[in-house]
Amino acid sequence: MTAPDHPTPELRKKPGLLRLVGGGVITGAADDDPSAIGTYASAGAKFGLGFLWIAPVLLPMMVVVVYVSAKLGQVYGKGLFAAVRDRYPRWILYPAMLGAFTGNVIEAAANLGGIGAALNLLVPLPVPLIVVIAAAVILAFQILGSYALLRRLFRWLALALFAYVAAAIMARPDPAEILSRTFVPHLALDGDALAMIVACIGTSLSAYIYTWQSNQEVEEEIGQGRHSLRQRKGATDAELRRTRREVITGMLFSNLILYFIILSTGATLHPAGQTAIDSAAQAASALEPLAGSGAKILFALGIVGVGFLAVPVMTTGAAYDLVQGLGREGSLHARPSEAKLFYGTIAAVTAVAVGLNFLGFNPMRALVWSGIVQGVSVPPLLCLMMLMTSDPMMMGERVNGRLVTVLGWATVAVTFAATAGLAASWIIG
């Protein structure tokens, strides 16, 4: 497979601020969804600054998994599950698709609950009503809007995550302790710690990110007029360099926010003895007497802003999973009348996610458990991605290089080991 000689005028422009907040940052921001925020806030509250080391450990894993996902869509010309359907038998395809689809639904439900709980701090309305309104607004943008509009909105919503940097600074943590805890782990590997490690891995390497990133590359190509598979297959050196730059930028952004969420709650809630976070409202409200009312508002606004970014990524990701697994077409560039199954799935997943919020589950615990569910489903799907991007029949000369191969398979091993460790702790405990 040779690199195509197709023009890429948009990609050759010099990046301005809005261009810099591109696909990689959108993916990175979606990775720091309310589920991630809940997980990282719980980690900081329970383990304090002793959990800061997880951020630098996760960074290379985040970069490599998102890069191979982007590369698969860019070079092969199809989204993740369309590629899996081409390459593997149905007994591998369908369980992988079902796991990813289920994870997306659970994650979307938990994130809508997170939005509702956070907005309830700022707006005196019942949480279930807020969930319904938020879901309706998000669905309207997906059905009635365009891909270009969604992308522009996503770019600006991503900036909401800087609220956590401000919240952490307002907590006034000790710089020397921060440095020590960032690079020297201080954590007993008991069942609680292993569960939190798996939750952090699951939420930072979530399966919906693979689906979204691979399909976003395809959507970008369609937006440039490459509607046929023949036109989309392959990638130039310049395109792959752009992809690497965007992925690294996005994952650095995501990892930075991860770090500051743990820092803000680890420097405030944990020393105050508030080690169990039961709701988004509690996490934000608890920051008020310790770091000021501004920290509470910033924490809540961060959940709301990124929630409105992440939920459509998850519901659209579920639609990609289903239609591609069934061998059907679906794209955000198509009108609803042209892709009825695709848009119908988005609407159905949104409705189910809203319905799950009326079952009475605890929003913050649901966010952490959704991260654990993702952590269990990540290893096999990541294994499939590494095999496909190392296959010359699919990738031609663009197979993974040595560094990506080493980092990718190391990430597979770490995710399998963490999940196995958690399972063992449950059995023994």
Side-chain angles (χ1 to χ4, degrees), residues 277-297:
I277 301 299
D278 293 324
S279 70
Q282 180 187 345
S285 296
L287 288 173
E288 184 171 12
L290 300 168
S293 60
K296 167 189 171 180
I297 295 171

Side-chain angles (χ1 to χ4, degrees), residues 74-91:
Q74 192 171 31
V75 176
Y76 190 63
K78 292 185 179 183
L80 174 58
F81 279 97
V84 173
R85 183 181 177 87
D86 288 350
R87 180 65 179 82
Y88 293 101
R90 300 299 181 260
W91 64 269

Side-chain angles (χ1 to χ4, degrees), residues 328-354:
R328 304 280 292 277
E329 296 291 330
S331 168
L332 289 171
H333 281 95
R335 291 189 294 269
S337 60
E338 299 169 335
K340 294 179 181 178
L341 178 62
F342 180 71
Y343 283 99
T345 302
I346 292 175
V349 169
T350 302
V352 171
V354 170

Side-chain angles (χ1 to χ4, degrees), residues 14 26 38 60 86 89 93 137 139 218 323 328 344 356 368 407 410 426-427:
K14 279 193 163 184
I26 291 171
D86 288 350
L93 167 67
V137 170
L139 183 61
V218 176
V323 299
R328 304 280 292 277
L356 290 175
V368 175
L407 282 176
W426 285 343
I427 293 171

Side-chain angles (χ1 to χ4, degrees), residues 62-405:
M62 294 164 68
V63 170
V64 73
V65 298
V66 176
Y67 175 65
V68 296
S69 173
K71 183 178 169 185
L72 178 66
Q74 192 171 31
V75 176
Y76 190 63
K78 292 185 179 183
L80 174 58
F81 279 97
V84 173
R85 183 181 177 87
D86 288 350
R87 180 65 179 82
Y88 293 101
R90 300 299 181 260
W91 64 269
I92 291 179
L93 167 67
Y94 291 138
M97 180 188 73
L98 181 61
F101 183 89
T102 303
N104 278 344
V105 175
I106 294 172
E107 196 98 355
N111 285 330
L112 282 171
I115 291 172
L119 266 178
N120 182 248
L121 292 173
L122 311 174
V123 181
L125 291 174
V127 171
L129 178 60
I130 296 174
V131 168
V132 172
I133 294 172
V137 170
I138 291 169
L139 183 61
F141 271 108
Q142 291 174 277
I143 301 295
L144 303 177
S146 66
Y147 176 76
L149 173 62
L150 285 174
R151 186 175 172 83
R152 285 194 296 271
L153 289 173
F154 286 175
R155 284 172 171 173
W156 290 115
L157 285 172
L159 300 180
L161 285 169
F162 281 111
Y164 295 106
V165 178
I169 292 172
M170 293 171 71
R172 298 183 295 276
D174 177 49
E177 186 180 6
I178 291 172
L179 189 64
S180 169
R181 301 290 176 155
T182 299
F183 298 104
V184 181
H186 296 77
L187 198 65
L189 292 180
D190 57 15
D192 288 343
L194 282 171
M196 192 59 71
I197 290 172
V198 172
C200 286
I201 290 174
T203 197
S204 60
L205 306 179
S206 297
Y208 72 84
I209 291 297
Y210 313 157
T211 300
W212 173 259
Q213 187 65 37
S214 62
N215 283 286
Q216 183 176 246
E217 295 296 335
V218 176
E219 297 282 10
E220 290 291 315
E221 301 240 358
I222 293 173
Q224 295 169 28
R226 303 171 200 162
H227 296 281
S228 71
L229 180 60
R230 184 186 62 81
Q231 291 174 313
R232 293 196 302 269
K233 277 205 169 187
T236 65
D237 290 339
E239 288 172 328
L240 289 175
R241 281 196 299 270
R242 184 270 302 175
T243 297
R244 284 193 294 270
R245 182 178 67 246
E246 285 197 354
V247 167
I248 291 172
T249 301
M251 293 305 104
L252 280 171
F253 174 75
S254 177
N255 196 263
L256 178 73
I257 302 305
L258 176 167
Y259 183 85
F260 278 101
I261 292 171
I262 295 175
L263 179 57
S264 62
T265 55
T268 53
L269 305 187
H270 183 77
Q274 299 185 41
T275 58
I277 301 299
D278 293 324
S279 70
Q282 180 187 345
S285 296
L287 288 173
E288 184 171 12
L290 300 168
S293 60
K296 167 189 171 180
I297 295 171
L298 288 171
F299 197 90
L301 287 177
I303 291 175
V304 174
V306 78
F308 272 90
L309 183 157
V311 170
V313 169
M314 292 161 194
T315 56
T316 305
Y320 283 131
D321 295 343
L322 182 65
V323 299
Q324 291 174 7
L326 297 177
R328 304 280 292 277
E329 296 291 330
S331 168
L332 289 171
H333 281 95
R335 291 189 294 269
S337 60
E338 299 169 335
K340 294 179 181 178
L341 178 62
F342 180 71
Y343 283 99
T345 302
I346 292 175
V349 169
T350 302
V352 171
V354 170
L356 290 175
N357 278 276
F358 286 84
L359 298 181
F361 58 74
N362 180 290
M364 189 61 78
R365 289 177 183 170
L367 293 174
V368 175
W369 274 100
S370 67
I372 293 175
V373 170
Q374 292 283 5
V376 173
S377 64
V378 159
L381 195 55
L382 178 54
C383 184
L384 291 178
M385 283 204 313
M386 287 302 299
L387 290 171
M388 288 189 292
T389 52
S390 299
D391 185 352
M393 292 182 63
M394 298 187 72
M395 305 297 287
E397 62 186 18
R398 300 300 188 185
V399 292
N400 294 330
R402 182 176 301 174
L403 179 60
V404 171
T405 299

